Amino acid sequence: METVRGLLSRRCTRLVLQQVRYKKPVYRNRKPPTWASQAALDMFDQYYKRQFGTRWSSIRLALLSEPKHAALVNNYGHDPEGVCAYLEALGAVDIMDAEVQQALRPAQRTKRGVRSVGHVTTIQQDTEPEDPALPEEALYGDNVQNTATHILESNQDQGSSASLPDIATRLKLFSYGMTDTSRFPPAKPDVDGILTYYILDAASVLPVLALNLKPDDIVLDMCAGPGGKTLAIVNTVVPLSGIVANEPKSSRCRRLNNVLRLYLQQGLSVQKGVKVTSFDGSKWGTMSPNSFDKVLVDVPCTSDRHSLTHDEKTNIFHVMRLRERMALPDLQVKLLSSALAAARPGGEVVYSTCTMSQMQNEGVVYMAMEHANHTSNIVTEVADVSNIVQFFQHTFNFSEGCRIGALVLPSLPNNWGPLYFCRLRRIN
């Protein structure tokens, strides 16, 4: 055994700390990496500036600013009226209330809305679809050509009433006043363990209103994750014959199931006929043709606001998702065409995105109408949504350059959107 004297006489190694200077990496033969959000902003600056002109600077500022949120009251909670009183005590107002909308109306204001609010666009038979494979520039093209070669345009009654369908009176959607981006407190469970309200972008309720749900309707929510629009459909309290909430992505499908579990009492989703599926949305037209009265298609898109605020792989502008981004118009056309085939004759399909891209909005609608007519001999028309635009014209900032449907633009007074929606009606 080594003695204490030996231990003391052993030469100990000294720990020397050396200061190392950090050297910035030098990119000799390649460009430095670009963040996904910066790539998205560069793309938007290039194309949206041409699309919106001088308005782009204010839209750009709103996109980069704190978004506004609203609270959708859960009508299936223990005391929805008490929840409404609680939200009013916080200073929020129900923007679904006609009296609130009347109070928001200024003394003089230029009428805003869709350029042709009464337009009905019909695709005739014997049309040839164009190839939806497009270069990346076309995703944000500022001159969307009318790809329908045989389009009939007729003007409906321009004096449509600014009233909403009956389902709007059952939805309670609370928001703070203009320029107030305060966040609502997290929803707490009531005595039954059900969360009392759901936080969402107020504009995301507009496609649900455009469905114009009727009793005994069978509804398909083709891209239902994460579940906000499905929850809004259920909270309309319309006695529907069934709701199919479909979400092909496993992660979003788990979030959908979680939302239904947290916001509906045990067994209520089954009682309301809510069925969650996870099929490829483009297959519904062949799996269940002529089966649904109403179909909601909230398609995957470039998600303008998300693309400017996130840099992880969930950003569609991430360098690893270039091929997926290029294939978006093709996917959107397939999903909308499938929805038209799944709808019954006389049924309605609502198409929605969260982008301002004309190609992904109006361009996809035109191409899908032609594709459905060419492949399945389906004749459709673009239905009027001017009543929704007129009712909310002092709450949302609607684009005046939208040819069909309606587009909510972000703006600092009420920083919601972007969101595009268009209602199609199947004729034959």
Side-chain angles (χ1 to χ4, degrees):
M1 179 180 292
E2 191 173 7
T3 63
V4 175
R5 185 182 296 275
L7 290 172
L8 294 176
S9 62
R10 178 184 296 177
R11 175 176 267 178
C12 297
T13 304
R14 296 179 62 187
L15 180 63
V16 180
L17 297 178
Q18 294 182 351
Q19 184 177 3
V20 179
R21 184 178 179 182
Y22 171 75
K23 293 183 179 181
K24 185 177 181 180
V26 179
Y27 301 93
R28 299 184 184 278
N29 300 322
R30 61 186 179 89
K31 295 180 179 180
T34 303
W35 293 109
S37 58
Q38 185 60 47
L41 185 59
D42 293 342
M43 182 71 70
F44 296 167
D45 282 336
Q46 183 177 359
Y47 295 104
Y48 284 158
K49 188 173 182 179
R50 295 207 304 260
Q51 179 177 340
F52 296 108
T54 56
R55 297 191 64 189
W56 167 237
S57 58
S58 61
I59 297 173
R60 184 183 193 269
L61 179 61
L63 279 173
L64 295 171
S65 302
E66 182 73 16
K68 194 169 183 176
H69 295 90
L72 177 67
V73 176
N74 185 7
N75 287 327
Y76 294 98
H78 179 73
D79 184 17
E81 295 301 327
V83 176
C84 293
Y86 167 73
L87 295 174
E88 288 175 353
L90 294 177
V93 294
D94 182 10
I95 61 176
M96 305 297 295
D97 190 341
E99 294 182 358
V100 172
Q101 291 297 324
Q102 186 69 24
L104 292 174
R105 182 171 301 176
Q108 292 182 353
R109 180 164 178 169
T110 308
K111 183 177 179 181
R112 309 181 70 88
V114 187
R115 175 183 295 176
S116 51
V117 295
H119 265 293
V120 172
T121 305
T122 306
I123 299 295
Q124 289 185 325
Q125 300 180 11
D126 302 328
T127 58
E128 295 293 332
E130 292 188 1
D131 185 6
L134 299 165
E136 185 169 14
E137 289 78 5
L139 289 175
Y140 297 92
D142 56 337
N143 291 319
V144 173
Q145 298 296 328
N146 188 350
T147 59
T149 55
H150 296 76
I151 290 184
L152 297 180
E153 294 184 347
S154 61
N155 290 325
Q156 289 183 327
D157 181 15
Q158 300 294 329
S160 56
S161 174
S163 60
L164 291 180
D166 293 337
I167 62 171
T169 61
R170 304 184 184 102
L171 287 176
K172 303 297 181 183
L173 187 64
F174 282 81
S175 167
Y176 293 118
M178 281 191 176
T179 70
D180 188 350
T181 57
S182 303
R183 291 183 174 270
F184 287 93
K188 297 180 180 180
D190 57 16
V191 294
D192 297 324
I194 303 301
L195 294 183
T196 52
Y197 54 84
Y198 183 83
I199 306 297
L200 77 173
D201 188 313
S204 62
V205 177
L206 299 181
V208 177
L209 297 178
L211 283 173
N212 195 18
L213 298 173
K214 303 293 184 183
D216 299 324
D217 276 350
I218 303 177
V219 182
L220 169 63
D221 189 353
M222 186 176 285
C223 307
K229 293 182 177 64
T230 303
L231 187 64
I233 291 174
V234 176
N235 272 274
T236 59
V237 201
V238 177
L240 303 172
S241 294
I243 304 173
V244 178
N246 181 75
E247 177 50 57
K249 291 187 177 181
S250 57
S251 59
R252 293 172 65 89
C253 191
R254 286 193 296 269
R255 292 175 62 187
L256 170 63
N257 280 297
N258 194 43
V259 166
L260 295 178
R261 178 179 60 84
L262 292 174
Y263 285 88
L264 298 180
Q265 297 177 8
Q266 187 175 5
L268 183 61
S269 61
V270 177
Q271 178 183 345
K272 291 294 179 181
V274 181
K275 181 179 180 181
V276 178
T277 60
S278 188
F279 298 114
D280 181 358
S282 61
K283 306 298 183 184
W284 276 99
T286 55
M287 291 191 309
S288 302
N290 310 322
S291 301
F292 299 95
D293 299 290
K294 304 292 170 61
V295 183
L296 176 60
V297 196
D298 186 29
V299 297
C301 63
T302 48
S303 304
D304 293 353
R305 188 182 291 275
H306 181 274
S307 297
L308 295 179
T309 56
H310 295 74
D311 283 308
E312 62 271 14
K313 289 186 178 180
T314 57
N315 192 325
I316 194 66
F317 282 86
H318 192 277
V319 66
M320 301 298 292
R321 302 184 68 181
L322 174 61
R323 184 173 299 180
E324 180 183 354
R325 186 168 76 249
M326 297 290 291
L328 275 177
D330 185 23
L331 174 62
Q332 292 161 347
V333 170
K334 289 180 179 178
L335 290 172
L336 184 52
S337 301
S338 176
L340 293 173
R344 293 174 176 171
E348 294 180 332
V349 175
V350 174
Y351 173 81
S352 67
T353 72
C354 49
T355 178
M356 298 176 290
S357 165
Q358 289 180 317
M359 185 67 256
Q360 297 178 69
N361 295 338
E362 301 158 66
V364 166
V365 171
Y366 283 130
M367 288 189 291
M369 293 171 72
E370 279 200 339
H371 183 267
N373 177 253
H374 178 74
T375 59
S376 305
N377 200 28
I378 295 175
V379 180
T380 56
E381 67 179 9
V382 179
D384 185 27
V385 294
S386 61
N387 62 327
I388 297 176
V389 173
Q390 293 175 20
F391 186 85
F392 290 110
Q393 62 181 323
H394 305 298
T395 301
F396 299 107
N397 180 27
F398 287 100
S399 172
E400 297 176 348
C402 202
R403 296 177 178 87
I404 56 175
L407 172 63
V408 176
L409 297 175
S411 63
L412 286 181
N414 278 332
N415 199 5
W416 288 311
L419 184 130
Y420 173 82
F421 66 99
C422 180
R423 181 167 61 199
L424 305 176
R425 183 178 297 113
R426 179 172 171 178
I427 298 176
N428 63 336

